[in-house]
Amino acid sequence: MASLIPQLSEQKRIVIKIGSATLVDAKTGRLRAAWLQTLVDDIALLKEQGKEVLIVSSGAIALGRKQTNLPSGHLKLEQSQAAAAIGQISLGQAYADALHKVDLNAGQILLTLGDTEARRPYLNARATLSTLLELGVVPIVNENDTVATSEIKYGDNDRLAARVATMISADCLVLLSDIDGLYTAPPATNPDAKHLPLIEQITPQIEAMAGSAGSSLAKGGMTTKIAAAKIAVKAGTSMVIADGAGYNPLQAIINGSKCSWFLAKANPITARKRWIHGHLEPHGTIHLDEGAVKALKSGKSLLPAGITKLDGTFTRGDAVIIAGPQGEEIARGLVGYDHSEAQKIVGRKSSQIAAILGYDGRAELIHRDDMVLSTSELD
Ligand code: GLU
């Protein structure tokens, strides 16, 4: 059983979610700067080992309310939006300053629920996150609280972090929290509460164990953490809940501190490919010549040059069928262009795209990561 527990040191792409209660001192309302520096030291170490690290951080509202004379206790929506507008500046700056000290750069991304759900902004956000990671930058993500209204917002960064992790096919999501994991009952009130180090399956019993625990600063209790775990493991991302309060919180996990792991069933790439293959309604068919079929089967992206014909109407981000010269399905993928644009570049070289479309679009019609071959890839 113990051997099933994943190791943080073995994960390649890691998303770390930092809760307000961990980052901001509840008594003073100030950022825990010394703690943050130790977190960043841990991140620098992980990056030296070749890992990619992305941060989802709360704290904008907690920091912003301290800088104005907003009342303590519950804030109205427009008050918390104003607090977020103020606090996000200090929050982003704090990460940028701490990362600069270890020669790393931060890049800020503010997302709304819609950005992670609708196809087009989803692809755009994902492309920016991937580019930041390629550049070696540490993305700092938060919800764009200033424009999110109550019906269309996450409200808690646990689920936002899970969506971000699955969006970029992260191997692992670390929730740094004020509790060291999941217990069979609330540990503060029940002496018989047992800590669970590994959750292989999120059963109704597991969901029932998640009470509504939470501190005065944090939005998400254990319920939102379990909701995050469900999003993550389904997409192939393992998740760990750990107490983040102490210095060097990531090293602590690596050194075997108490925490709860939620096990992903498949790896993120396989899970994503299954999703593309099985769960999306195709909006059209892209027909290829023999050469393009060969290129695809050898692991290349789909370029406009090898396309003979387009059927159906699709917009960027839709699932489409990719067919060979005899009309046989050879793959499925998420298309990178709207039908009207794709039509203009069919059969043309990638180097001609900018001149034809009038802007410097992407070279491939379907990127390799957004495509699954109908044979073998899901085995
Ligand atoms: N986005 C909110 C903030 O930065 C926090 C949401 C949460 O606590 O999960 O203040």
Side-chain angles (χ1 to χ4, degrees):
M1 173 94 165
S3 61
L4 272 179
I5 297 180
Q7 298 295 316
L8 186 56
S9 54
E10 281 163 17
Q11 316 292 322
K12 168 91 179 57
R13 184 172 277 189
I14 304 167
V15 174
I16 299 158
K17 184 260 169 177
I18 296 135
S20 301
T22 308
L23 186 67
V24 181
D25 188 303
K27 283 200 202 83
T28 63
R30 286 186 207 288
L31 188 103
R32 297 176 62 216
W35 173 86
L36 179 60
Q37 201 60 54
T38 70
L39 169 79
V40 164
D41 288 345
D42 286 358
I43 290 174
L45 218 66
L46 292 176
K47 295 215 17 111
E48 267 168 37
Q49 292 161 5
K51 300 181 191 307
E52 295 172 315
V53 180
L54 195 145
I55 293 175
V56 176
S57 182
S58 309
I61 297 171
L63 290 174
R65 68 188 299 164
K66 169 80 188 162
Q67 293 171 43
T68 51
N69 47 10
L70 284 166
S72 55
H74 181 72
L75 294 180
K76 285 198 239 141
L77 178 64
E78 55 275 21
Q79 289 176 321
S80 56
Q81 289 181 313
I86 300 158
Q88 186 63 39
I89 298 177
S90 342
L91 184 67
Q93 194 60 53
Y95 279 102
D97 290 345
L99 284 161
H100 282 161
K101 287 197 182 128
V102 291
D103 292 326
L104 289 170
N105 281 316
Q108 175 174 281
I109 301 213
L110 300 179
L111 294 173
T112 59
L113 178 72
D115 294 334
T116 59
E117 301 300 323
R119 287 184 307 260
R120 189 180 290 262
Y122 173 96
L123 287 182
N124 293 342
R126 195 173 58 131
T128 310
L129 287 168
S130 305
T131 309
L132 288 170
L133 292 175
E134 273 163 33
L135 292 170
V137 169
V138 180
I140 312 292
V141 182
N142 195 1
E143 183 158 19
N144 195 349
D145 292 309
T146 54
V147 296
T149 58
S150 48
E151 321 79 67
I152 52 147
K153 70 175 190 165
Y154 281 100
D156 68 88
N157 275 3
D158 294 326
R159 287 175 307 146
L160 172 69
R163 288 295 285 142
V164 168
T166 60
M167 186 187 243
I168 54 150
S169 302
D171 301 295
C172 166
L173 166 63
V174 181
L175 297 186
L176 289 183
S177 168
D178 52 2
I179 182 154
D180 55 10
L182 181 65
Y183 286 79
T184 51
T189 51
N190 189 333
D192 295 330
K194 252 184 67 202
H195 178 264
L196 301 172
L198 179 68
I199 295 95
E200 288 184 67
Q201 201 79 257
I202 304 171
T203 58
Q205 287 92 317
I206 291 289
E207 294 198 58
M209 287 171 196
S212 54
S215 72
S216 58
L217 284 178
K219 288 272 160 47
M222 198 48 81
T223 315
T224 60
K225 290 182 177 41
I226 300 293
K230 283 167 86 174
I231 297 170
V233 298
K234 193 170 158 214
T237 300
S238 293
M239 192 184 99
V240 58
I241 302 173
D243 187 348
Y247 282 0
N248 298 99
L250 302 176
Q251 274 308 315
I253 299 173
I254 290 171
N255 295 339
S257 67
K258 203 175 184 185
C259 50
S260 293
W261 280 90
F262 293 77
L263 203 60
K265 287 280 172 278
N267 74 46
I269 303 295
T270 311
R272 186 173 152 70
K273 295 211 168 196
R274 276 201 194 120
W275 174 70
I276 292 172
H277 191 259
H279 299 277
L280 299 172
E281 188 68 27
H283 282 72
T285 303
I286 297 180
H287 299 268
L288 308 187
D289 63 21
E290 206 56 69
V293 171
K294 267 209 194 97
L296 243 56
K297 288 188 173 163
S298 72
K300 300 261 182 358
S301 291
L302 175 59
L303 304 179
I307 298 172
T308 53
K309 190 163 74 108
L310 301 175
D311 285 335
T313 45
F314 46 80
T315 52
R316 176 165 143 73
D318 278 342
V320 291
I321 291 173
I322 302 165
Q326 271 76 51
E328 73 283 16
E329 176 172 335
I330 57 156
R332 288 190 183 205
L334 304 182
V335 67
Y337 281 98
D338 289 343
H339 181 270
S340 55
E341 293 174 315
Q343 195 65 55
K344 291 184 197 153
I345 56 176
V346 156
R348 311 295 282 269
K349 288 207 183 75
S350 296
S351 58
Q352 298 176 305
I353 292 178
I356 297 168
L357 297 181
Y359 68 88
D360 196 10
R362 57 201 72 228
E364 60 279 346
L365 197 77
I366 301 183
H367 192 275
R368 186 72 200 92
D369 295 345
D370 292 332
M371 194 192 317
V372 53
L373 296 177
S374 304
T375 51
S376 78
E377 271 202 311
L378 298 175
D379 301 342

